[in-house]
Amino acid sequence: PDGSTLASGGQDKIVCLWEAKTGNMNRRLEGHEGRVLAVAFSPGGRYLASGSADKSVRLWDGKSKKEVRKLSGHNEPVRALAFSPDGKLLASGGRDNFIQLWDPSSGNPLGQIRGLAAAIQSLAFSPDGTLLAAGSSDNQALLFDVGMEKEIARIAGHDDRVTSVAFSPDGTRLASGSLDASVRLWKVPPRKEPYLLTPHERTILSIAFSPDGKTMASCALDGSIRLLDLKTGKEVWPPAEARTES
C-alpha cells in the first residue's frame, strides 16, 4: 500500500515480492500447489492475499511474509481477490461462479454471493466499501450491495470477458476492461451508455485510476501501457512521437 513493494504470482506456484524502486526480487512465498492467479495487499499492509489454481486463498503476514492461514471454500481455481477499503473484508471469486466474503483477521467465511451465470475474472470494492464490482466471463460487469450480498446491476456492453474493474476515487465511476481490447467508463449507478475508450489493440489486462481520479492507466497483452486524461479522453502518455517511433 505504500508503493514500496510489488507482488506477482505465476505458473511456478510462487508469490514473488519485488522492490519497486530497484526492480529487485527480495522474497519468494511458497505454499500454493497450483499456479498463482491473483494477489492483493490489504489497505494497511497487514496482509497479502493470493489466489490459486489449487482452489485456495492464502494470507501472508505483511511484515514477516510468513503464511498466516489458508482459506478453503472454493471448488475451482481462484482468479480474483479484493480487500475492502477498511481491510475488514476480503472478497474472492473464480471459476465456480460465486463470490466468497471472508474475515481476513480470523479466516472465517462471512457470506457468499451466489447465483452468478459465469466465472469471476476480477473484483473491486467501491471507496466507501458498500459496493463490490466484478468482471465476468459472460462479457458483463456486475455490481453488488455488499451488506445485502445482492446483485443490484448487470452492465452489458463488452464483446468478450471482462478482465479488470476499478472504481474512481470518488466512487462515481466504474471502469471495465475486456478481452475485446476496450475500456468502458460507467456512471455509478449505471444509467446510460458508457464512455468507450480504445487505447489498445489487444486484450486489456488491468486498469487503475490515479488518486485524484483525473487519469486512468491501462495495460494490455501487447505489453503497452497507456495513460488517459478522463476529461478529454486523450492519451497523455506515452507521447505521440514515442508511439509513432515504436
Side-chain angles (χ1 to χ4, degrees):
D2 62 3
S4 64
T5 303
L6 174 70
S8 66
Q11 298 279 359
D12 57 5
K13 311 175 187 178
I14 296 171
V15 178
C16 294
L17 301 181
W18 309 81
E19 188 176 337
K21 286 185 178 180
T22 66
N24 295 329
M25 185 175 66
N26 54 33
R27 200 67 177 264
R28 292 161 56 94
L29 309 181
E30 301 184 28
H32 280 295
E33 298 171 3
R35 64 188 186 277
V36 179
L37 302 172
V39 291
F41 283 103
S42 64
R46 182 180 178 185
Y47 298 115
L48 169 65
S50 56
S52 170
D54 66 12
K55 309 173 188 177
S56 77
V57 176
R58 292 176 192 256
L59 287 176
W60 312 83
D61 185 273
K63 291 184 178 180
S64 70
K65 307 301 186 294
K66 294 182 178 179
E67 184 177 325
V68 178
R69 57 184 58 90
K70 175 182 176 181
L71 308 181
S72 300
H74 287 280
N75 47 45
E76 292 289 345
V78 179
R79 300 192 60 90
L81 296 168
F83 281 95
S84 61
D86 61 8
K88 294 182 179 179
L89 278 179
L90 171 64
S92 61
R95 289 175 55 186
D96 44 14
N97 301 9
F98 73 89
I99 297 170
Q100 179 71 55
L101 300 176
W102 309 89
D103 177 355
S105 62
S106 66
N108 293 330
L110 296 178
Q112 290 183 344
I113 300 174
R114 288 191 169 271
L116 308 183
I120 299 300
Q121 299 287 321
S122 53
L123 292 166
F125 279 93
S126 61
D128 64 3
T130 62
L131 299 177
L132 178 65
S136 175
S137 290
D138 61 1
N139 310 349
Q140 300 183 91
L142 312 174
L143 270 181
F144 303 95
D145 181 298
V146 176
M148 297 177 65
E149 298 175 13
K150 179 182 178 181
E151 182 182 308
I152 59 173
R154 187 174 288 264
I155 310 169
H158 284 290
D159 297 321
D160 211 327
R161 285 179 287 172
V162 177
T163 53
S164 184
V165 288
F167 282 95
S168 61
D170 62 3
T172 63
R173 293 172 293 179
L174 175 70
S176 57
S178 168
L179 286 180
D180 65 12
S182 75
V183 176
R184 294 173 187 264
L185 199 58
W186 314 82
K187 290 286 188 181
V188 178
R191 294 192 180 92
K192 60 180 181 179
E193 287 298 306
Y195 187 37
L196 175 63
L197 303 167
T198 54
H200 301 275
E201 296 180 359
R202 297 196 57 189
T203 297
I204 306 294
L205 297 177
S206 185
I207 49 179
F209 286 89
S210 61
D212 62 8
K214 295 180 180 180
T215 307
M216 185 175 65
S218 60
C219 67
L221 192 61
D222 59 10
S224 63
I225 297 173
R226 298 284 187 264
L227 296 182
L228 300 172
D229 183 315
L230 294 178
K231 186 175 182 179
T232 65
K234 295 182 178 180
E235 294 181 21
V236 295
W237 192 89
E241 57 270 21
R243 296 197 297 273
T244 302
E245 292 172 1
S246 63

